[in-house]
Amino acid sequence: MSHGRITGWATNLPDRVLTNDELAQMVDTSDEWITARTGIKTRHIDGKVTEMSAAAALDAMKMAGVSPDQIDLLLLATISPDQQIPASASVIQDSLGLSCGAFDLNAACSGFVYGLVTAMQFIQGGMERILVIGSDSLSSITNWEDRGTCILFGDGAGAVIVENSADKPSLLGWDLMSSGDAADLLYCEHGDNIVMDGQAVFRKAVLAMEAAAINAMDKAGVTSDQIKLVVPHQANVRIIESALKRLDIPIEKAALVLNYTGNTSAASIPLALVDALNAERVDSGDLILLVGFGAGMTSAAAVVRWDPPTI
Ligand code: ACO
């Protein structure tokens, strides 16, 4: 059977950095409050999904040594495409010079894990190389007068190349879930900004992450003490701490970038993953747990056995 593995990775953040002190001049808040309640210090804003994605994708392709004509599918996880029509995936496809299918996937902050799991299935179905991108420009759909949300969000992109090049499966177990009955806790109407019931999302997020992670680990046949690195959705460090405590995983095992990225939705997990890979926090054979939740409410988790590319 064919198996996919990650052979290239890269990220992109827009230049404009927005600090907590700047936010304190825009709404009634403070650096102390934001830091203590969320763990966020700065975030990048004013990014365009197509531009951030193309930049990250180009670097990931270079790293994997893959040329545009070798990509069989482009899969973009986003909730903030540049336009409603066409899909931003098609715009990115054109700017990268790819000749393949391309589509957007909306599973909010769980989107990258949904995308990675989907890509692995296409590899099993016979494709050779898939470009998976998680990218969002939440600054474009943020109400900058609402202190309950504007302190949280940022922009960014992360891209990976998934190739049919593994003898053994690297995706050992996964879980995808949606609880549409909680859709009204976090939504954005066309042409409007994000509306969120922060406390309710917080409570559900902790439970959803725990359930997704347990299901994925069960399917993989592993226990939480075997996990070397956890890559959680970067929404709020307190959510991550609570979920990991319930999973009995020490916080030191978590990849954390939210202090300088904020919550970048679909970009959040690949931004944290790439940071950890570049810091060489995993070796061949180590188990990585990716786990996210987001609007929908969706949740997703994947257990990946790290099978590094031979460069
Ligand atoms: N600065 C100062 N005070 C604030 C701020 C702020 N930015 N925001 C709220 N407060 C006040 C509130 O008004 C309240 O005051 P009160 O006690 O006088 O009424 C007090 O702080 C506490 O408010 P809470 O809402 O209880 O604060 P909480 O600790 O829950 O933190 C937060 C709020 C950060 C939004 C938190 O609930 C959270 O992170 N929720 C989850 C958000 C999330 O994960 N979203 C996922 C999005 S995923 C996607 O799909 C895009």
Side-chain angles (χ1 to χ4, degrees), residues 57-113:
L58 207 57
D59 287 343
M61 287 164 62
K62 264 190 212 148
M63 180 182 178
V66 166
S67 57
D69 58 303
Q70 291 179 304
I71 300 283
D72 294 328
L73 182 69
L74 190 171
L75 217 158
L76 171 70
T78 189
I79 53 170
S80 48
D82 291 4
Q83 299 162 279
Q84 190 172 341
I85 302 170
S88 285
S90 294
V91 178
I92 298 161
Q93 177 211 12
D94 181 54
S95 71
L96 293 173
L98 311 184
S99 174
C100 63
F103 64 95
D104 287 8
L105 182 164
N106 180 337
C109 313
S110 313
F112 179 78
V113 180

Side-chain angles (χ1 to χ4, degrees), residues 27-30 33-34 37-38 79 107-109 138 147-149 151-153 186 194 196-203 205 233 235-236 238-239 263 265 293-296:
V27 291
D28 184 12
T29 191
S30 65
W33 194 96
I34 302 170
R37 295 294 183 115
T38 71
I79 53 170
C109 313
L138 293 187
R147 70 176 182 171
T149 54
I151 56 154
L152 299 170
F153 300 136
L186 175 55
I194 296 175
M196 181 181 74
D197 179 343
Q199 284 188 13
V201 171
F202 192 117
R203 283 192 296 271
H233 171 44
N236 182 327
R238 290 162 50 220
I239 294 177
N263 177 350
S265 196
F293 69 92

Side-chain angles (χ1 to χ4, degrees), residues 100-179:
C100 63
F103 64 95
D104 287 8
L105 182 164
N106 180 337
C109 313
S110 313
F112 179 78
V113 180
Y114 266 71
L116 186 66
V117 170
T118 305
M120 293 290 186
Q121 313 308 308
F122 275 108
I123 294 282
Q124 287 190 359
M127 285 190 175
E128 288 296 321
R129 289 169 204 87
I130 300 178
L131 171 59
V132 182
I133 306 171
S135 179
D136 267 306
S137 170
L138 293 187
S139 70
S140 66
I141 50 171
T142 292
N143 176 355
W144 292 103
E145 294 177 357
D146 173 16
R147 70 176 182 171
T149 54
C150 74
I151 56 154
L152 299 170
F153 300 136
D155 304 345
V160 299
I161 304 294
V162 178
E163 286 196 66
N164 175 17
S165 56
D167 303 333
K168 296 176 293 187
S170 60
L171 179 64
L172 303 187
W174 50 269
D175 184 65
L176 305 182
M177 183 48 66
S178 169
S179 303

